[in-house]
Amino acid sequence: MQLIPAPAGVLEVDALWQNDNPNDPNTDIVAMLCHPNPLFDGTMNNKVVTTMYRFARDNGMHVVRFNFRGVGQSTGEHDYAEGEVVDAMTVLQWIAEQTNARKLWLGGFSFGGYVTARVAEQVLEAAHIWGLGDFEVTKIALIAPSVEKNDSTDISLPADRTFEVYGNADEVIEPDNMQAFADRLGIEVSVVDGAGHFFHGRLSELKGLLDKHSFG
C-alpha cells in the first residue's frame, strides 16, 4: 500500500507488479479496479474487487486497486461519482509514471462499475487532456454496475470491448435496468442465475466469466 498525491489530498493505492517489476518485459496489460459505494462500506478490499484482482494477477497483468476519496487512508469526502472519476484518472496518471504497460483492462463493481464506465469514456475520448493519449483500452468489465442510482443515459462505450455481469437475484440494482443498459450499448452480458448483488457463494463463477469475456 502507498499514498499518492491527489486533488482531494492523497489516495491509498495497492499496486501489484508482475515479477515485482513495473516494467516487466513480458507484461503489457495493466488492470485498474474501482470499488463499490463508500457510503455502504465499499472499499478496494471488497470481495468482488478482490476476485477481479486475482483474475488479473493470475492472467499476467499488472493490477492496481485503490480507495476512493474518504475511504481508508484516502483523504477527502465522498463526491457522488464526480470526484471519484477524477480519483481514478489520477491513479491512471500515476500508473503511466510507474510502468511502460499501455494496454488497459478496466474493471469496476456496483458504484465502481459506473465510475469505470465514466473513466473509460475519458480515456477513449479525452485522453489527451489527462496526458494519457498512449493508453489503449482493451476491456471494460462492468460488474453489477450502478446504472439506476447514477445517471447512465448518456454513457457511450465500445461494444466490442465492454461486457457486463450481473445476478438475476440482485437485491440492490434492478436486473432489468442493468439489462436495458447493456441492450442500449449492445454489449455482451452474462447473467448469473440466482446470484445476488454481492455474488455470495458465486465468486468462482464470476472469475470464470471474467476469463470468458476477456480471453474467450
Side-chain angles (χ1 to χ4, degrees), residues 18-30:
Q18 291 291 334
N19 297 311
D20 295 321
N21 179 6
N23 291 312
D24 177 60
N26 298 312
T27 306
D28 60 357
I29 303 178
V30 55

Side-chain angles (χ1 to χ4, degrees), residues 65-119:
R65 58 182 170 180
F66 65 98
N67 277 328
F68 289 128
R69 57 186 63 195
V71 180
Q73 295 185 58
S74 296
T75 57
E77 296 181 356
H78 182 67
D79 195 32
Y80 301 93
E82 294 293 331
E84 284 77 10
V85 171
V86 175
D87 291 345
M89 298 306 293
T90 300
V91 172
L92 276 179
Q93 291 173 325
W94 177 81
I95 288 170
E97 295 170 353
Q98 307 303 309
T99 176
N100 294 327
R102 285 297 181 266
K103 293 182 178 179
L104 276 179
W105 192 99
L106 298 172
F109 168 51
S110 195
F111 171 83
Y114 175 80
V115 172
T116 292
R118 291 297 187 192
V119 166

Side-chain angles (χ1 to χ4, degrees), residues 106-107 116-117 120 124 137-142 157-158 161-164:
L106 298 172
T116 292
L124 290 164
V137 177
T138 60
K139 284 293 176 182
I140 305 161
L142 308 178
L157 296 170
R161 286 177 274 171
T162 308
F163 67 91
E164 179 182 89

Side-chain angles (χ1 to χ4, degrees), residues 12 38 64 77 92 100 118 121 124 139 144 147 156 195 203 209:
E12 184 179 10
V64 178
E77 296 181 356
L92 276 179
N100 294 327
R118 291 297 187 192
E121 284 185 317
L124 290 164
K139 284 293 176 182
V147 294
S156 177
L203 293 172
L209 290 170

Side-chain angles (χ1 to χ4, degrees), residues 5-18:
V10 295
L11 290 169
E12 184 179 10
V13 173
D14 173 19
L16 179 143
W17 308 114
Q18 291 291 334

Side-chain angles (χ1 to χ4, degrees), residues 33-38 42-44 46 49 66-68 71 109 111-113:
L33 312 175
C34 293
H35 70 71
N37 199 322
T43 77
M44 66 176 169
N46 167 272
V49 176
F66 65 98
N67 277 328
F68 289 128
V71 180
F109 168 51
F111 171 83

